[in-house]
Amino acid sequence: MKPHMAEDGGKKRVLVTGGAGFIGSHVVDLLLEQGHRVAVVDNLSTGHRENVNPQAEFFLADVGSPDLAAVLDAVRPQAVVHLAAQASVSVSVADPVRDATANILGSVNLLQQCVRTAVEKFVYVSTGGALYGEPQYLPCDENHPINPLSPYGVSKHTVEHYLYFYRQVHGLAYTVLRLANVYGPRQDPFGEAGVVAIFTQRMLDGEQVVIYGSGEQERDFVFVMDCARAAVLALSRGDGEAYNIGCGRGTTVNALFAMMKSLTGYAREPRYDPPRPGDVFRSFLNADKARRELGWKPSVSLEEGLRQTIDHFRQGSKPR
Ligand code: NAD
């Protein structure tokens, strides 16, 4: 018996880890919009308190710390959507210990607490872009060999193995979402990840845009609100499965630059710097399984998503 639960009409009590971050804050908004009760736990290492919807309860804590137990006791969630992570490939290459501590140990600590408090469903936000390595075929489906080229890809994938264990041994239902390159409002333009956010900010400020490598590297850009929809669908579907979440199409960084240049009216040409270690050259995902089993497909075109992102940044990139 869980006294804090909302059981009515499929509405759930959901804990979102990393809910003050870019993707997590959109997941929180959509869950609230659909009538769920939402709590957020975040250590604000890269997230912002202002990103958190005021209708959600907020707990400042690290998922890897002993304090997490008190959060789970207070919230008693039926479901957990786990996004809290060290999310930068280059940080993981520079400091693999920090990456593994946050992404592996933090997740295992959270999973232990989920078992202790009898959480019913765990949605894990993993990566598709950093998991498959340099593709042997394209688009990559979920059966593509796993060959991460960065500690980040390794740490994100490791948790997928733990999930299998927790389901087999402790009966914790889970779904893994392997997201492609996510972009949209609230993405941090000052970090190292998020080419769309970085380009947008620099173009609007009239600053030099830097492309690493030839610019012919291809990425699968998926809009953040489409990803939030996948997370909400996964609350009730796809037990024990992993799903790619992407558009199935590669866009070169040069093509992205050209689209954004015309949408923002940027007048300059890009500067080309050497490629960064840990980045794959081409990556795009086959999301047919998500379409069949989760009922998910991308609904926002790249052009429309870029337009919305640029508008958001034009308004001063306010978190909410
Ligand atoms: P983000 O940095 O905006 O969000 C991460 C959030 O987690 C932040 O609010 C941060 O403060 C919080 N956090 C980090 N470590 C924590 C810890 N130990 N305890 C508690 N909170 C912690 O990044 P994002 O792009 O929104 O990424 C969210 C998730 O999506 C991550 O798990 C990431 O691996 C995954 N993902 C992102 C992309 C992408 O393109 N952005 C692609 C694939 C997967």
Side-chain angles (χ1 to χ4, degrees):
M1 183 66 194
K2 297 170 193 166
H4 302 269
M5 299 283 176
E7 299 274 11
D8 49 318
K11 304 303 178 204
K12 293 190 166 81
R13 178 105 182 127
V14 185
L15 177 65
V16 180
T17 75
F22 161 49
I23 304 171
S25 63
H26 288 280
V27 172
V28 169
D29 288 351
L30 187 59
L31 285 166
L32 287 166
E33 212 179 289
Q34 297 196 354
H36 299 287
R37 295 170 59 190
V38 182
V40 167
V41 60
D42 199 298
N43 67 1
L44 299 183
S45 55
T46 54
H48 303 282
R49 184 67 181 84
E50 316 78 73
N51 276 346
V52 181
N53 192 308
Q55 292 169 50
E57 220 178 331
F58 180 74
F59 295 86
L60 177 62
D62 191 294
V63 291
S65 83
D67 300 344
L68 192 71
V71 176
L72 271 284
D73 283 334
V75 178
R76 286 278 161 174
Q78 285 168 295
V80 170
V81 182
H82 179 36
L83 298 111
Q86 185 303 108
S88 156
V89 167
S90 28
V91 167
S92 82
V93 173
D95 192 349
V97 174
R98 173 175 156 197
D99 178 81
T101 304
N103 294 2
I104 302 178
L105 298 183
S107 298
V108 175
N109 190 49
L110 173 65
L111 284 162
Q112 283 292 103
Q113 292 305 325
C114 289
V115 168
R116 183 181 64 81
T117 56
V119 166
E120 292 160 21
K121 181 71 191 268
F122 192 93
V123 176
Y124 174 58
V125 176
S126 186
T127 168
L131 206 70
Y132 299 117
E134 215 47 81
Q136 296 176 10
Y137 57 86
L138 282 164
C140 294
D141 58 21
E142 293 81 356
N143 296 321
H144 186 284
I146 306 280
N147 291 311
L149 287 169
S150 63
Y152 167 75
V154 176
S155 67
K156 292 297 289 187
H157 181 61
T158 300
V159 176
E160 298 188 15
H161 291 295
Y162 278 101
L163 289 170
Y164 187 82
F165 158 77
Y166 277 97
R167 181 170 185 268
Q168 292 301 113
V169 173
H170 296 293
L172 177 61
Y174 73 86
T175 299
V176 174
L177 301 175
R178 294 178 179 165
L179 310 185
N181 278 71
V182 189
Y183 73 97
R186 298 186 203 144
Q187 190 164 29
D188 179 7
F190 303 111
E192 304 212 31
V195 61
V196 170
I198 295 168
F199 280 15
T200 306
Q201 190 70 51
R202 293 197 154 253
M203 286 182 176
L204 293 180
D205 292 347
E207 284 175 16
Q208 181 64 60
V209 170
V210 177
I211 293 178
Y212 295 99
S214 65
E216 285 306 298
Q217 60 271 44
E218 286 177 49
R219 293 287 179 273
D220 183 340
F221 294 102
V222 60
F223 194 54
V224 67
M225 287 169 200
D226 279 331
C227 296
R229 216 160 28 78
V232 174
L233 287 167
L235 285 180
S236 53
R237 297 181 196 183
D239 181 25
E241 296 292 332
Y243 297 94
N244 285 341
I245 299 296
C247 295
R249 209 171 341 101
T251 302
T252 68
V253 173
N254 286 331
L256 180 77
F257 177 87
M259 282 174 88
M260 295 185 66
K261 183 177 174 167
S262 104
L263 287 169
T264 56
Y266 184 63
R268 300 170 68 167
E269 291 308 315
R271 188 181 83 215
Y272 289 89
D273 277 5
R276 297 183 303 182
D279 280 342
V280 298
F281 189 67
R282 292 180 85 202
S283 166
F284 44 98
L285 304 179
N286 178 332
D288 287 353
K289 186 178 169 190
R291 184 175 44 71
R292 283 195 312 273
E293 297 181 17
L294 298 179
W296 179 89
K297 64 175 168 34
S299 67
V300 180
S301 71
L302 183 55
E303 174 143 3
E304 174 53 27
L306 290 175
R307 224 182 270 285
Q308 287 191 33
T309 307
I310 291 164
D311 280 354
H312 168 83
F313 277 77
R314 275 213 173 97
Q315 288 155 22
S317 179
K318 286 183 210 70
R320 295 198 60 76

